[in-house]
Amino acid sequence: MSRHQDIRNLDYQDVLDDYEGYSEEEDELSSKDRALMTQGTADVQAALGVEASKVTKAQIEEALWHYYYDVDKSVAYLVSKFISPPQKTAKVVELPPTTTSNTHRPSCSHFFQDMPWGNIPRDRETVFIPPQLPRGGLLGGSGPGPKMSKLQMLAAARKKKAEEKSLQEKVGNTQAKLTELSIQQDRPAKENIPLAGGFGKRLKTSETTSEGRSPIATTEPKRPEQHQPVSKDGPEDTVQPPTEVEKIPEAPIAKPSAFAQTLFGSDSASSKPQHQELFTPPHASFSESFLDAFSKPSPDDLVLAAQAKAGKKTPAAQKKKGASSTNAVTNDVKALKIEETPLPKSRNLNVLSEFERSKKKKTASFVVVGHVDAGKSTMMGRLLLELNVVDQRTVDKLRQEAEKIGKSSFALAWVLDQRTEERVRGVTIDIATNRFETDTTAFTILDAPGHRDFIPNMIAGASQADFAILVIDASTGAFESGLKGQTKEHSLLIRSMGVSRIIVAINKLDTVGWSQERFDEIKHQVSGFLSGTGFQLKNVAFVPVSGLNGDNLVHKSSDPAASWYTGATLVEELEASEPSARALAKPLRMTIADVFRTPQSPLTIFGRIDSGSLQMGDPLLVQPSGEKAYIKSLLVDEEPADWAVAGHSVVVHLSNIDAIHVRVGDIVCDPNKPIQCVDTFKLKVLAFDFLIPMPLDVHRGRLHAPGKIESLDALLDKVTGGVTKKKPRCVKAGSVARITVKLGSKVPLEAGMRIVLRSGGDTVAAGLLE
Ligand SMILES: Nc1nc2c(ncn2[C@@H]2O[C@H](COP(=O)(O)OP(=O)(O)OP(=O)(O)O)[C@@H](O)[C@H]2O)c(=O)[nH]1
């Protein structure tokens, strides 16, 4: 980079900072500059021709240096400076083009003497924009300003500071003067005309002060009495000395015009106008326009005054009238009574005694779990067909539709998998519910998805179940891969969620020729695994089935190859299963599994009553929103009912609540015994994976909330539950521990609830809220 490039990139502040260390050595030319200088000198001498003898080589080099090797400018300078210098003012080397000749005004004092002070037409007033850099120096140059020496730059920085300070003073003084002037105006003493804007307000304030001055003005700095001396950098003869100005107060010397300042340098700090109103730009010239504007009534004021004269209402009266009419409207609106939705009438039934007296069948819910494609949906579809819940025609129609997309083997699964996405993909995505009745029991099916991506939905299903059917694909290789996959995870989850009764349906035995050996092998392995998971084998039943063909579902298999099995069918096993104990006497708790709109109500919820009871007309509290609702009507097992108890899956039509307050996963409870919302709680968990304080998702039924393990409080003995180690650094898979979990927001949770913890798509722990 040449030295000139260095200069162009110069940071002035750095230069000023380094000024003390400045050295002449720095001015030595680089080889590149030396070459340019030699060439430039030759070019200038050639351009000057014979006149070249009138200037020295040093003068040429100086000119070239300052004009950055610009030969033309250097020549122009040398000619005007040394060869044929102008007659006058050697120091004013370059004048901007002007229509007024300078020749008749050798000094600034003369220049200003014939100025028409005080009579400048307004349209000729100028706005002065000071040059960015102070002028000065030997060389004028053709750019916006001459090159400055470092000393000049330092001086310029100081001067700029002084200018800013002076400008602030000037603004303050102008305000003070305006205030004074405004007070002198004759205004009607008790004229009740409001002044517009902040200025009006300030003038009004000034009238009330004892000194007749605006409080603002009194706090402003005083205006300087004299002109400041001009800058030393300016030409000596451009501005009158301050003493001269003071001698002629009636015709004060004004600030030089923009033209004069361009000529002789910027020094706004040194040229404070005494009569600023004469030289301020038109938009800032308040002397007449501002005072005129506020000393007389505004057009609005005139209209108001005329109206008042004509006997019309004053603004105050109008305002009063407006206020009174507003009040009247407000009162009218208040008087308007919008008919509120009448509260549903409560039957005031003793629900528990009604339940005991009722001869209803026992009700039970079961969840169907197992590895993906184990045949869960097909088995339930076949079961519903065998029980005449769906007819053959429906299944035939589904088969035709399934054939169209090449999935005919899924026809029975489509009885439950009703979503388009589920049918196209051939997988269950969300819990599908259906119901059927036997002679003794009304069952609710909760068909869970087997795919690992939808485990949260499986958890939601399991949370509503009394017992479970674990479907295992017996076909070659499938059982083994299933055991490593969701067979194991689902078993762990349903046990963690409190399900103790499990029926293992060993499915697809038609694919292995109804091999008893295969059945026994699977039964053996699964028994060991389930007992290790915490199931008591007396609560575990095994049934060999073919869901596709309907063998051993409702009827015994007619396949001779299956004759070795003489046990119960799947339905018989279901009927033999006792639903878990109902917490009838406890406060109402119902987790909302679904929210939808029905003809009966714009807000209908579905769920299973976990504890307590409800009846038509009862108030309900929805948590965490804390909003109250009323039961308009309800359905139990799809039949209209007046009441429902724990264990029932119910559809509740709500009234007197907005839909935004009700979400899937919320809990409906008794307003008198509400469930509390918490964001921190302790859990006793069985770890499925390595646990440390880490982020995770908390699942409880349909409730999913992000949170974290805040602390590992203790390791517990699996049998006794006693503390074996306090504050462990980690919890290994298979261990039981007490941990503290913190959620991002408060959710309805209470002691005794079963919680599942998942992280990164895996179930890491499950347990009981303490
Ligand atoms: N041969 C034979 N195939 C069956 C049997 N049961 C189900 N299948 C087939 O297995 C495949 C998967 O059946 P689904 O009922 O969708 O399996 P699923 O467990 O419900 O699947 P996800 O819910 O997605 O986990 C289908 O092609 C069924 O026809 C059976 O007993 N025998």
Side-chain angles (χ1 to χ4, degrees), residues 277-297:
E277 63 273 20
L278 296 176
F279 289 92
T280 47
H283 66 271
S285 179
F286 300 129
S287 58
E288 284 179 36
S289 58
F290 173 79
L291 294 173
D292 284 351
F294 291 99
S295 61
K296 295 170 188 171

Side-chain angles (χ1 to χ4, degrees), residues 691 694-698 705-709 739 741 757-759 764:
L691 298 183
M694 61 192 201
L696 38 70
D697 290 319
V698 172
K708 63 175 181 181
I709 297 179
I739 62 172
V741 173
L757 303 177
R758 288 174 57 80
S759 176
V764 294

Side-chain angles (χ1 to χ4, degrees), residues 395-413:
V395 174
D396 289 344
K397 206 176 157 209
L398 288 173
R399 184 162 285 119
Q400 281 175 7
E401 287 175 21
E403 272 171 8
K404 282 184 197 164
I405 59 166
K407 290 191 180 291
S408 60
S409 67
F410 287 87
L412 283 167

Side-chain angles (χ1 to χ4, degrees), residues 22-309:
Y22 176 78
S23 162
E24 282 301 321
E25 286 172 18
E26 291 173 15
D27 281 338
E28 284 182 8
L29 295 181
S30 67
S31 57
K32 193 176 173 186
D33 280 327
R34 175 49 59 201
L36 288 167
M37 186 63 84
T38 308
Q39 181 61 45
T41 306
D43 290 345
V44 169
Q45 285 172 334
L48 292 173
V50 291
E51 306 284 7
S53 58
K54 294 182 180 176
V55 290
T56 65
K57 192 183 171 198
Q59 288 169 333
I60 294 173
E61 284 185 351
E62 189 183 358
L64 282 167
W65 176 252
H66 286 285
Y67 286 115
Y68 298 95
Y69 305 121
D70 188 319
V71 173
D72 291 340
K73 285 182 184 172
S74 303
V75 169
Y77 164 70
L78 292 167
V79 168
S80 64
K81 177 78 178 172
F82 302 109
I83 297 168
S84 50
Q87 296 291 314
K88 293 271 172 192
T89 60
K91 287 186 181 179
V92 181
V93 291
E94 190 176 336
L95 300 178
T98 175
T99 53
T100 309
S101 170
N102 196 29
T103 52
H104 304 297
R105 297 183 179 86
S107 74
C108 258
S109 59
H110 291 130
F111 177 82
F112 287 113
Q113 267 173 9
D114 63 350
M115 289 290 282
W117 300 117
N119 293 318
I120 297 172
R122 197 167 285 276
D123 62 340
R124 290 179 62 189
E125 289 178 3
T126 50
V127 179
F128 173 59
I129 302 167
Q132 284 192 333
L133 296 171
R135 296 175 69 88
L138 181 64
L139 302 172
S142 59
K147 181 181 181 297
M148 290 191 298
S149 73
K150 291 176 182 178
L151 263 176
Q152 283 177 318
M153 283 190 286
L154 191 61
R158 285 181 183 152
K159 193 189 287 178
K160 198 178 167 193
K161 245 184 181 178
E163 281 177 1
E164 284 171 6
K165 199 178 165 195
S166 168
L167 191 66
Q168 282 178 358
E169 285 175 1
K170 203 163 39 173
V171 170
N173 289 332
T174 305
Q175 286 179 342
K177 186 175 178 189
L178 282 171
T179 310
E180 283 172 8
L181 285 173
S182 63
I183 292 162
Q184 290 161 10
Q185 299 299 311
D186 289 328
R187 297 182 65 235
K190 293 188 179 176
E191 186 182 73
N192 192 19
I193 299 170
L195 291 168
F199 241 109
K201 203 174 173 185
R202 192 164 69 190
L203 290 174
K204 207 171 180 182
T205 310
S206 70
E207 286 175 345
T208 59
T209 56
S210 58
E211 294 171 19
R213 291 179 65 85
S214 155
I216 296 171
T218 53
T219 58
E220 297 295 333
K222 286 196 173 183
R223 185 181 171 205
E225 299 294 324
Q226 299 176 352
H227 275 295
Q228 297 293 318
V230 294
S231 164
K232 284 176 189 173
D233 295 330
E236 290 163 12
D237 56 350
T238 53
V239 178
Q240 294 283 357
T243 46
E244 286 180 41
V245 176
E246 285 167 7
K247 285 174 189 169
I248 36 175
E250 65 281 359
I253 298 297
K255 182 181 179 182
S257 69
F259 166 67
Q261 292 202 40
T262 310
L263 270 180
F264 302 113
S266 165
D267 191 6
S268 57
S270 66
S271 54
K272 291 183 186 303
Q274 285 187 333
H275 292 269
Q276 187 165 344
E277 63 273 20
L278 296 176
F279 289 92
T280 47
H283 66 271
S285 179
F286 300 129
S287 58
E288 284 179 36
S289 58
F290 173 79
L291 294 173
D292 284 351
F294 291 99
S295 61
K296 295 170 188 171
S298 72
D300 281 352
D301 297 332
L302 290 174
V303 171
L304 290 171
Q307 284 176 346
K309 256 187 185 178

Side-chain angles (χ1 to χ4, degrees), residues 370-379 409-410 413 417 426-428 447-451 507-511 545-549:
H371 193 63
V372 65
D373 279 350
K376 301 179 288 294
S377 302
T378 301
M379 188 185 294
S409 67
F410 287 87
D417 294 344
V427 292
T428 306
D447 183 27
H451 199 283
N507 194 28
K508 302 193 189 181
L509 275 173
D510 58 293
T511 61
V545 296
S546 169
L548 190 65
N549 302 327

